[in-house]
Amino acid sequence: MDHSGLAALAIIGAGPAGRAARDMAARVGIEEVAVLDDGPDLDALVWLVDGDGTICYSRNGTAHKLTAQYIILAPGTLARPTANPAAHIDHEIPDIQITSALRLEHAWDREQGFWYPRHDESLASQCARIYLAGGVTGRMGEAVAKWQGRRAALTIAIHLGHEVSKHDLPDCPPAEVRPAPPSYVAGLEDAEMVCPCEGISAGDIRRLAARGCGTVNQAKALGRPGMGICQGRRCGLLVGEVLADCLGVDMAQVGYFRQRWPTSPVSLAQLSKFAHEDI
Amino acid sequence: MQISDAIIIGGGLHGLSTAIHLAKAGLNAVVLEKDHPGRHASGVNAGGVRRLGRHLAEVPLSVAAMTVWEHMAEFVGDDCGFSPCGQIKIAETESEMALLAERVGQLEALGFAHERLIDRDTLRQIVPALSPHCLGAVWCPEDGAARPCRTTQAFFRTAVALGVEVRTGLVDNIGQTSGHWRVHAEYETYEAPVLVNCAGAWGDRICHMIGDHAPLEAAAPMLMITEPTEPFISPVLGAVGRKLSFKQFDNGTVMIGGGQRGRAVPERNIAATNLAGMGNGAATVTALFPQLGPLNVVRCWAGIEAMMPDGIPVIGPSAVAECAYHAFGFSGHGFQLSPIVGRLLCEVIMTGSASLPIDAFSITRFGGAPAIGAASGDLLRH
Ligand SMILES: Cc1cc2nc3c(=O)[nH]c(=O)nc-3n(C[C@H](O)[C@H](O)[C@H](O)COP(=O)(O)OP(=O)(O)OC[C@H]3O[C@@H](n4cnc5c(N)ncnc54)[C@H](O)[C@@H]3O)c2cc1C
């Protein structure tokens, strides 16, 4: 698939939600739909999304730009990172790297222990052109993901002036209820790494808390967790959890990293192709 | 109601520095900060400690600030990560070279010898990795870079240790009662005979509250950082003909900045980056260091900074109100000046005049009413 650089709808993520959105878009007749996913089939790693509809991605080492009228963000989930990478824990959390860099507002799900971007019933995010679907919303299970993908595509179809009928979309199926995850900070030794990229331990975060540091972004500024090559994917939650635990406050109070573009590394040579772009 | 000798609005480096100097002069100072100290420009900048290329009006201040940087631990108990790695500004054409020579001559005529003109061979020795087309440069070997976050922390700790009260709160109203300033911030009212505006990119709003006029533009200068690579350059590098400020850290990562701007929305604390800025920065770097093409960028950010139309700050008394003072509008280069401006402002507040020339920075240059009796020292000597 090659993109002309313009699309009516771009779908980021080709998991169950993204594929359901694509199928629905095809059914209601939206043309010019681009699906971007970093899996081997599509090989399109998105590293920048702008509220005005610009998307940048890399394919086989080459950077491309696409401008879409509407975007469905369906980047799915990722495995919950832990302090000890060997202790793999079977718990999925929303992949909020892009939604956080977009500065969407996020909410903390206390039960499930993750952040998710807020949206309304039509899956619209706070950005007018951007919709959310699937695991990124924190509503788990394939059935819900597919429904959300269809729903988002239908709303966009209406905005684009397509005819849709209410039979196109049945009611939302119930979300899968997952067991609450274990506590990740109970018994975490001071010496254990919470940010392996920058070599920051749980003890380092606890010392920052003792010095009056009250949010993860302040911790990032003062101690560098989240500034390494993984761009905060591995430590974002853990830094917050250690901080919240130490201060005896809710996660909502310590917050999440303000993530930055590019959300995946991109070379200077590729970036320089976008010099003098007018956005 | 909180009563003190001086209220300083803004907990960036200039607010904290002013507070430190006022406290040392024996005043009871309160700093009001709407977020947390160092949250904005002061904590997220490029850390360049540069006299090189300064506006002529800034040169005496910058030179004086440099002597503080060289002994920073004496001022704030920490060297703030300052390293005198040098700053260099390269010329790529003969006409750029001529501009640099003219500039160095101008400084020499004024008695300043910190900027040195160097030829192609010397440049090659200092930065062997640079593209061979570069013809020469101006070099300040004693200049360098420091850690903004460490610097704001050290200024904050020093201020607190001297008894300065740093309070969280957004100043939303300023009035006067019987010769005192009355400032409202987050459920609390503060009163003091002296008011200092160090509100950075929000400085014009404070001006508005006291009746001054300053045509400030809030901008969002951008910075990018790469993955680590082998050490290849030690000085901070800029260029005459390009927007560039370029530095490699000890951990091997490379910081790229120098003039690309994103979008600033000061009322929402937003400093957004943009693709064109990232692209322009990358294109500049790869033109000068072609071998860096494959190096990955991992993070891009921006800070909110106050730009004045003439590119120099506002420092000194209000044009319209007595016992109100300004230090804002540093236009992208206020980090290096932070240890000195607070001192000069303190001198003006205590004695009515400063030990270095600051007239060029007067807010009256924007057409406000002429300053009314700057000498407020008497009011303060208890
Ligand atoms: C990306 C970037 C790179 C830079 N690189 C360099 C460099 O290499 N070298 C250099 O010398 N300079 C550099 N600068 C410039 C330098 O950072 C600034 O000039 C300097 O930090 C300004 O300090 P300040 O205290 O005036 O402002 P700030 O640090 O912005 O502080 C002002 C404070 O006032 C607070 N405030 C505002 N309004 C109110 C209110 N109503 N109530 C309460 N509080 C309020 C704000 O929250 C803020 O914390 C750079 C700037 C940026 C953004």
Side-chain angles (χ1 to χ4, degrees), chain B residues 1-11 15-16 18-20 22-23 27-34 37 155-169 188-191:
Chain B
M1 172 89 69
Q2 297 271 319
I3 298 179
S4 61
D5 297 329
I7 297 167
I8 298 163
I9 303 169
L16 294 171
T18 305
I20 290 170
L22 287 177
L27 297 205
N28 215 324
V30 175
V31 173
L32 301 176
E33 166 55 50
K34 65 183 172 61
F155 276 52
F156 173 70
R157 278 196 307 270
T158 305
V160 170
L162 287 167
V164 173
E165 268 206 66
V166 181
R167 296 293 205 90
T168 309
E188 185 67 87
T189 305
Y190 301 83
E191 262 192 38

Side-chain angles (χ1 to χ4, degrees), chain B residues 9-16 32-50 54 87 169-172 185 198-203 205-206 209 219-223 245 269 301-306 327-337:
Chain B
I9 303 169
L13 283 172
H14 288 284
L16 294 171
L32 301 176
E33 166 55 50
K34 65 183 172 61
D35 297 306
H36 60 82
R39 158 77 172 80
H40 293 289
S42 295
V44 304
N45 62 66
V49 177
R50 170 178 68 80
R54 292 256 166 198
Q87 291 248 359
L170 171 77
V171 171
D172 52 13
C198 295
W202 299 262
R205 288 153 211 250
I206 303 300
M209 292 184 208
M222 290 168 54
L223 293 170
S245 154
N269 277 355
W301 74 96
I304 308 182
E305 171 73 337
F328 67 88
F330 287 88
S331 306
H333 41 260
F335 179 68
Q336 193 263 356
L337 295 173

Side-chain angles (χ1 to χ4, degrees), chain A residues 226-244:
Chain A
M227 293 211 188
I229 196 78
C230 87
Q231 301 170 301
R233 287 177 171 80
R234 285 195 283 177
C235 59
L237 272 187
L238 216 43
V239 170
E241 284 162 334
V242 174
L243 210 53

